[in-house]
Structures are given as structure tokens and as C-alpha cells.
Amino acid sequence: MKYITITTDQQLVFAETPVPELSADECLIRVKAIGVNRADILQRQGKYPAPKGESTILGLEVCGDIVACGSGVIDWKINDKVFGLVAGGGYAEYVVIKSSQLFCLPAIFTDQQGAGFAETFLTAYQSLFSIARLKAKQSVLIHAGASGVGCAAIALAKAKDCFVVVTAGSEEKCQACLTLGADVAINYHQNSFEQWQKAHAPEGFNVIIDVVGGDYLQKNINVAAVDGHLVILSILQGRYCEKVDMGKMLAKRISITASTLRNRSNNYKAELVADFKEDFGKLLGEGQLLPVIDTCYPWQNADKAHQRMLENSNIGKLVLTV
């Protein structure tokens, strides 16, 4: 099969490798579309290697057709249209996926929408509900609201009738977030979300989703509610915060969790998928949860997709079609 590999100078080129072999609890998928994630770029740069024992090929989520099932698979069959998570191996014509981590592609979904769903919505679901225990009608602050995870988090939080505030880096991105249902969108180049919170939401935010890191840690503590939860998913602005007011953390009883999804165990991911289906499966099947697709590229143009993400130009997901 063809797949995309990384050269020693970090270029993306096609190569060939054997089709992966199935385990008893896996399905072999003929890939039609691939979701692009920032983890792909970090791996390409040598900063985020694949978990031990997983494929070193780029790609964390795919959509396609089942062409073979392992001996222990009972819930899926050949020709089923599916999408799901992988810990690696997505940038290829074929990939194996644990059957417990598969979703049925809704009839109204395109392959591209399927490829853009799993990583973003499961990350958002994990952050909001599995970790932060978000309840209906609570308040949420989502940084990078126009990112793939940000768009998914808006949709899930609004499905629970929460008050959602986002930050984004342009008026276009702010408007996109408002269109998706966010109640307030703050352009961080023009306004301070800390000042907005003081003026308009003095009780603070129950849940904060952050991909920025750096000095946003203290800023997030400043705007958190009593018993608030801060979930850190990435560190785009840096690994370190020079000063942290732990007294304010104690006074507010803030919970801070740093989380990734890729290196979680298969059992954890299976349980997460099952929980998501129980809580939001009906909305997914009815087409009320849709990933926001920014741009689809032929997989020959994977480098262009990576470049667009590096430039922070995208609103929603970037997808490669095979």
C-alpha cells in the first residue's frame, strides 16, 4: 500500500509498505479521508513520537470502508462505512482500528466529515465531561475557539445549554464561533478576556479549555469560578509560566488537569467512545453534531494542509482525501 513518510529533512513523500496485519479485535479500513491534527506536525518535526508499539506513520483519525474484520469482531462487517481513532498509521491507503473505537458514518455525512470528527469531538468530550464534569447551564471558556477542538467544544457545550465564551485571533474566526453557537467571542488581539470576565461574568467560568499554555495559566486561574476546572490540552505559547498565584488557586479550589488522548490505553479510548455514543450518539446520528471543515486537500498536498495549520489560518478541520 502507499503511505506518506517523513524524510530526514522533514519532507513528506510517498512510499510503499505492506498492508498492516489484523489482530482479533481490529478492523482493516480502506482509507478515503484523513483528519489532519497538530500532533501530525509535531511528529513530523520530531517532537511527538508515536506511542510505543504503534504505527510510526502519521495520522490519528480516518474515515473509510471496512475490508476485513478480526476473528473476535462481532459488531462490524465488511463494507461498513466507518470513522474512528488510531494512535498512528492514518496517512495510508489502509489502516487497522480497534473495533471498539469505530463509529458508524451517519448517512448524511461525507467521508471528509467523518475524517474530521473523531479526534476533535472525543478530545472536546473528554475535556468537558469526562475530566471537568461540565453540567447543564454552566459557563465555559474555550481558547482557540475556531480550532477543530474548539468548534467541537462549542457544539457539545451548547447541546447542554451552557454559556460559552471563546477567544480567537481574528474577527473572521470570532464570527465563525458565534455562528456555531458561542454566546461571546473575544478577539484576543483587541481585547482582554480577563477584563471581559471582570465586567460581564464576575463569578468566573466553571470550565476552561486551554491549548495556549505559557502565561495563560495564571490568566485562566484569574477568570476561573470557585471549584472551576481548567483543562490544558496543548502549550502553543510555551511550556512555562513565570509566576503562578497558588493562593488564588486555593481560594477558588481550582482543579487543573493536563490531558492528551493519543497515548491513552485502548481500554480508555474504548470507554470514551462508548460514553460519547451514550451521551451524544443520537445527536450524531441525526446530523446535529457536524465537524467544521475548513479545507480538503488531496493527500498529495498534505504539506499544504500542514502549512495552513502552522499559519493558524484554518477555521475548523483540515482533511486529506485519498
Side-chain angles (χ1 to χ4, degrees):
M1 69 173 186
K2 288 183 179 180
Y3 77 104
I4 295 176
T5 188
I6 309 165
T7 65
T8 54
D9 58 350
Q10 298 184 4
Q11 300 302 304
L12 300 179
V13 297
F14 281 108
E16 291 194 355
T17 191
V19 174
E21 295 183 1
L22 278 175
S23 296
D25 60 347
E26 293 176 330
C27 295
L28 181 66
I29 311 300
R30 180 187 292 113
V31 177
K32 290 188 173 180
I34 307 156
V36 176
N37 292 280
R38 196 167 291 272
D40 304 339
I41 296 173
L42 292 174
Q43 182 175 336
R44 178 181 177 181
Q45 294 171 340
K47 299 176 181 178
Y48 192 22
K52 185 176 180 180
E54 301 292 349
S55 172
T56 58
I57 297 173
L58 297 175
L60 305 183
E61 58 184 336
V62 301
C63 180
D65 301 331
I66 295 177
V67 295
C69 295
S71 60
V73 175
I74 58 175
D75 296 330
W76 303 99
K77 63 183 185 301
I78 292 173
N79 294 326
D80 281 349
K81 297 182 181 301
V82 295
F83 65 89
L85 289 175
V86 290
Y91 284 35
E93 290 182 309
Y94 296 91
V95 68
V96 292
I97 304 183
K98 297 294 182 183
S99 63
S100 58
Q101 295 173 30
L102 285 172
F103 290 84
C104 178
L105 185 71
I108 68 167
F109 269 46
T110 64
D111 295 325
Q112 291 82 2
Q113 287 172 315
F117 191 95
E119 183 72 19
T120 51
F121 273 86
L122 287 174
T123 298
Y125 175 79
Q126 173 191 238
S127 303
L128 292 171
F129 300 102
S130 298
I131 296 173
R133 303 296 181 188
L134 179 68
K135 296 178 175 62
K137 299 185 183 300
Q138 287 189 322
S139 59
V140 184
L141 173 63
I142 303 167
H143 294 299
S147 66
V149 171
C151 292
I154 292 170
L156 294 179
K158 292 308 296 181
K160 296 296 185 181
D161 200 23
C162 292
F163 181 73
V164 176
V165 177
V166 303
T167 65
S170 71
E171 289 305 306
E172 180 187 14
K173 289 185 176 183
C174 285
Q175 185 55 54
C177 292
L178 294 172
T179 301
L180 289 172
D183 297 283
V184 177
I186 300 169
N187 183 338
Y188 59 77
H189 290 302
Q190 298 178 358
N191 297 292
S192 162
F193 66 87
E194 292 176 282
Q195 293 300 319
W196 187 94
Q197 178 267 325
K198 287 181 182 178
H200 301 284
E203 294 185 355
F205 296 99
N206 301 114
V207 175
I208 302 171
I209 307 298
D210 182 42
V211 297
V212 181
D215 62 9
Y216 264 43
L217 174 58
Q218 183 58 51
K219 294 179 181 180
N220 288 325
I221 292 169
N222 293 340
V223 302
V226 173
D227 292 319
H229 286 77
L230 166 61
V231 183
I232 301 171
L233 299 177
S234 189
I235 47 173
L236 298 180
Q237 196 178 84
R239 298 176 59 179
Y240 303 105
C241 180
E242 288 189 8
K243 292 183 179 181
V244 177
D245 186 345
M246 289 184 282
K248 188 170 288 189
M249 288 172 55
L250 288 167
K252 292 186 175 186
R253 300 190 298 270
I254 296 172
S255 299
I256 300 177
T257 304
S259 179
T260 59
L261 183 55
R262 183 184 190 183
N263 59 1
R264 299 278 191 174
S265 71
N266 285 319
N267 287 339
Y268 178 96
K269 292 178 184 177
E271 184 175 343
L272 185 67
V273 169
D275 288 346
F276 183 94
K277 289 178 179 178
E278 181 176 348
D279 291 343
F280 289 101
K282 186 174 184 291
L283 292 180
L284 170 60
E286 293 173 349
Q288 295 186 48
L289 293 178
L290 294 171
V292 176
I293 306 299
D294 178 272
T295 311
C296 296
Y297 297 89
W299 72 330
Q300 292 88 344
N301 294 336
D303 188 66
K304 290 184 178 180
H306 284 199
Q307 189 59 40
R308 183 165 177 80
M309 181 169 282
L310 283 168
E311 294 168 355
N312 292 319
S313 301
N314 55 300
I315 296 175
K317 290 290 293 188
L318 299 166
V319 174
L320 307 177
T321 55
V322 179

